[in-house]
Amino acid sequence: MKRAIFYTLFAVVGIVLLPTQLLGADARTTAQAHWHDGIEAYENRDYATAIDSFNQIILLGEASDDVYYNLANAYFKQGQQPTLSRPFSGGELGYAVLNYHRALRLNPAMEDARYNLELAVDHTNDTDGVPQSFITTLWHGLRNMMTTNGWTIVSIIMFACTLTLVMIYLLSERIALRKASFFTSIVVALCFLLSTLLATSSHYAVLNDNRAVVLCNDTTPVHASPDSASKIIRQPSQGVTVRISRSHGEWSEIIFADGEKGWIRNSAIELI
């Protein structure tokens, strides 16, 4: 009787989960087809088709750093087509910057995305940020060498190595080996502490990432207050990256890299 109940429950669970698994497999297969179509269209300089294909992958929930990176490249190339009245007249630069940022958020170590992002930002009227100290710059550079998961894995490995070295120190009868394991365990323990701090810092940075990118065809006004009749204090171009401090109805207060604040319509920005 118990065995029959077990088999019945197993069959019910299988029936419930099977459609989800089939849908997931179908989505991946469709995403792979869109990926091949997007790459082929990009190589043939059909950037509009490439953009549509990569966006379809994102809509299917199969986005990755490579998808965002290639989507950004397609937007950037599309905005430089000779058929346009002027470069990026359709707002392509803003979407390129946005998707480079999204690629780097998933993979901070993607140097190609970082390099192309810098090239794209050179076409905007973005301001220089407040200079950071050497320690802060060094810490952010070290943190961006890997993702949160990457630093977590390193931390676990360092912890396991520390325990192993401690066990060797406690169990070994050779003085030389005990000395070597003792001092090495101290170094590895410090590496464990550092990697744990980097993993925590990376996780915190992702959770509290309030950056957004200005999306428009040219420039868009930033007001002194959440009112279109208020004074215009700035007109950032498409692709400028800002931070959102608070929202009020259809408006958001943003902070530029140089620290200046203002209000912009929500429709003119998109969160990274």
Side-chain angles (χ1 to χ4, degrees):
M1 183 66 180
K2 291 182 179 179
R3 184 175 297 180
I5 294 174
F6 172 78
Y7 287 138
T8 301
L9 290 174
F10 185 79
V12 171
V13 171
I15 293 172
V16 171
L17 294 180
L18 184 60
T20 303
Q21 294 174 345
L22 291 176
L23 287 173
D26 184 61
R28 286 190 293 272
T29 302
T30 305
Q32 289 174 356
H34 284 305
W35 171 261
H36 292 302
D37 291 343
I39 294 297
E40 183 179 0
Y42 184 88
E43 291 175 348
N44 293 328
R45 300 184 180 181
D46 183 3
Y47 302 118
T49 299
I51 289 170
D52 180 66
S53 297
F54 295 135
N55 274 321
Q56 289 299 320
I57 297 174
I58 296 171
L59 290 174
L60 288 168
E62 298 292 326
S64 67
D65 53 340
D66 285 328
V67 171
Y68 284 124
Y69 172 69
N70 283 278
L71 176 59
N73 286 340
Y75 271 119
F76 192 80
K77 291 290 186 180
Q78 174 71 7
Q80 294 182 317
Q81 291 281 71
T83 55
L84 298 176
S85 57
R86 56 183 175 81
F88 309 114
S89 59
E92 296 86 358
L93 181 60
Y95 284 102
V97 171
L98 175 67
N99 286 287
Y100 283 134
H101 275 301
R102 286 175 172 172
L104 287 168
R105 184 174 183 178
L106 294 178
N107 182 8
M110 183 180 276
E111 291 300 327
D112 288 342
R114 195 171 301 280
Y115 177 77
N116 287 0
L117 173 61
E118 292 176 358
L119 292 180
V121 170
D122 285 342
H123 290 79
T124 71
N125 63 3
D126 207 349
T127 56
D128 294 329
V130 178
Q132 295 180 330
S133 66
F134 172 76
I135 298 299
T136 302
T137 302
L138 179 63
W139 179 260
H140 288 171
L142 189 60
R143 185 183 67 190
N144 291 336
M145 289 177 62
M146 283 189 284
T147 62
T148 302
N149 290 340
W151 283 119
T152 301
I153 292 172
V154 171
S155 179
I156 293 172
I157 293 173
M158 291 297 103
F159 180 70
C161 290
T162 301
L163 290 180
T164 302
L165 289 166
V166 170
M167 292 298 296
I168 293 174
Y169 169 76
L170 293 174
L171 300 177
S172 177
E173 297 180 355
R174 297 174 57 185
I175 300 300
L177 184 58
R178 284 170 60 87
K179 287 183 177 180
S181 60
F182 175 76
F183 290 109
T184 305
S185 65
I186 293 176
V187 174
V188 176
L190 290 175
C191 291
F192 160 70
L193 178 62
L194 177 61
S195 58
T196 301
L197 290 173
L198 287 166
T200 303
S201 176
S202 178
H203 181 66
Y204 179 82
V206 171
L207 287 180
N208 294 275
D209 190 357
N210 59 348
R211 293 174 301 162
V213 175
V214 175
L215 302 178
C216 58
N217 291 346
D218 188 12
T219 60
T220 190
V222 173
H223 295 264
S225 62
D227 182 358
S228 57
S230 64
K231 178 184 176 182
I232 296 176
I233 62 173
R234 203 157 176 167
Q235 296 196 64
S237 67
Q238 55 174 307
V240 170
T241 303
V242 298
R243 292 189 179 275
I244 299 176
S245 61
R246 54 177 173 157
S247 297
H248 178 76
E250 61 179 6
W251 295 83
S252 289
E253 185 183 44
I254 58 175
I255 306 173
F256 291 93
D258 59 6
E260 186 177 18
K261 295 182 179 181
W263 291 86
I264 192 172
R265 290 189 179 276
N266 295 333
S267 57
I269 55 175
E270 186 167 337
L271 281 168
I272 294 172

